[in-house]
Each structure stands twice: as structure tokens, then as C-alpha cells.
Amino acid sequence: MIEEHIKVLMVEDNPTDVKLMEYQLIKVVKNLTIKSVDLLGDFKLQLDTFAPDLILSDYRLKGFSGMDVLKHTREYSPDTTFVFVTGVLDNEELAADTILSGASGYILKKNINKLHEKLLPHLRRVMKDKKRPLLSSEHREALEAIQSFIAEAKKGKDAHLESCEQIRKTLENIKSTKDKM
């Protein structure tokens, strides 16, 4: 049983499936907040305001697809764990495409009774990610800029030291020439 708080956003247009998934999640997560949406606009809003740790999405939805949801997630919340829970992905090529597009995994609804077991590796990843401090894209860019600056400064320092060494050698040559006179 996972004790830490986990926020789950479900993108599902079948209320029965939402209830079944909630029931399965409660089996393995003690402290859980779940929100469910069935419209792409609502999903976008919840992704921003609710900031889920885990997204569970059906593949085929009314008026949009799970790939639309995945694409938006990867663009605006790339570190969020995303799992398809669907009856559609029994096609290996389609399933592979979802993984290549950035999904963390997929689970077939025909295995909904074992959803709690199938989600455990994903939930463990969520817990590991929550313990690791995440940087915002602004902070990541600032960190990269600082690292680049330090690398350039080191190059400059190395060039400066090399110049100083050349000056020292030249001064020694002048001094030794002067001493010989």
C-alpha cells in the first residue's frame, strides 16, 4: 500500500470505467485525490490547476483522442506519468506508437480487475519522481546557462593561465639574457 498522497487525473468518458478505476486505485493508494474529465478543454485546465502526479487516459474519447491528451501532456507537463487505460490498444503497432509518443504505459480495460497491480510500477515511479526535486523549464534554462558560463570561464581561465605561462617564460629568457651580459 502506498501511503504518500497521489493526485490522479482520469480522462475518461465512461462513468462506469471511472468508478472501476477509482476502486482499483483505492486498493493500492491510501491517500488519493482523483479528478475525472471527459472534455479536452477540461483536461487542459485540470492539467494546469490540479497538477496531477499520474494521468490515466482512454484512447478513444468523444470529440478527441488519447493521443491529443498525450501530446498536450508532453508539451505542458513532460514529467507527468501518463498511462493509457483502454480497450483499443490491443493492436501492437498502435500500442508501440503510444509509447514512442511518450506514454509511460498502457493497460487494457479487459484487465481492469488487475489495474491496481498493473499500475504499481507506474505509481512507484510517481513516488520516486515526487521525492526528486523537479526544476521548472525556467530553472532548467538558467542552470544550463550557468553551466555554459562556467565552461566558458574555465576555457578563458585556461587560456589566461597559458598566456601567463608564456609571459613568465619570456621574462625568464630576458632575465637570463640580461645575466649573460
Side-chain angles (χ1 to χ4, degrees):
M1 174 72 73
I2 294 174
E3 302 286 329
E4 291 88 349
H5 182 249
I6 295 181
K7 296 188 292 183
V8 178
L9 179 56
M10 291 185 200
V11 185
E12 175 62 65
D13 55 7
N14 182 331
T16 302
D17 287 345
V18 169
K19 290 294 181 195
L20 289 170
M21 287 189 286
E22 284 178 4
Y23 177 73
Q24 291 296 312
L25 281 164
I26 290 169
K27 289 181 179 181
V28 291
V29 181
K30 185 175 183 177
N31 191 359
L32 186 65
T33 302
I34 299 173
K35 293 207 177 194
S36 173
V37 296
D38 60 0
L39 299 172
L40 187 58
D42 291 344
F43 165 74
K44 290 176 179 180
L45 178 66
Q46 289 301 320
L47 181 64
D48 187 42
T49 58
F50 179 58
D53 300 309
L54 172 66
I55 296 170
L56 301 177
S57 179
D58 197 353
Y59 189 81
R60 288 208 177 118
L61 299 145
K62 295 175 187 150
F64 63 105
S65 76
M67 290 300 278
D68 297 327
V69 175
L70 176 60
K71 181 180 176 187
H72 189 81
T73 301
R74 290 300 158 244
E75 185 174 342
Y76 293 98
S77 186
D79 296 325
T80 303
T81 302
F82 187 105
V83 178
F84 281 106
V85 180
T86 185
V88 175
L89 292 178
D90 53 3
N91 172 326
E92 288 179 19
E93 188 175 317
L94 188 59
D97 188 43
T98 63
I99 300 300
L100 291 173
S101 296
S104 306
Y106 66 94
I107 300 168
L108 295 176
K109 284 184 180 178
K110 69 181 181 182
N111 299 323
I112 199 91
N113 301 2
K114 297 185 183 210
L115 181 68
H116 65 288
E117 294 171 13
K118 304 252 183 211
L119 281 177
L120 269 175
H122 301 289
L123 291 166
R124 287 186 183 114
R125 177 179 171 217
V126 165
M127 297 316 307
K128 183 179 175 185
D129 289 348
K130 284 181 82 153
K131 290 177 183 170
R132 183 184 75 221
L134 297 177
L135 296 176
S136 69
S137 60
E138 283 180 25
H139 289 129
R140 226 173 297 168
E141 288 173 16
L143 181 60
E144 288 171 10
I146 291 168
Q147 289 170 332
S148 177
F149 175 79
I150 290 170
E152 289 300 315
K154 185 178 182 322
K155 286 180 191 174
K157 176 186 170 203
D158 291 345
H160 178 70
L161 289 174
E162 190 176 307
S163 296
C164 287
E165 183 62 23
Q166 287 176 347
I167 291 169
R168 186 188 64 75
K169 285 180 182 179
T170 303
L171 287 172
E172 282 180 11
N173 284 339
I174 293 171
K175 184 179 176 186
S176 74
T177 305
K178 182 182 170 190
D179 288 343
K180 289 180 183 177
M181 297 172 116

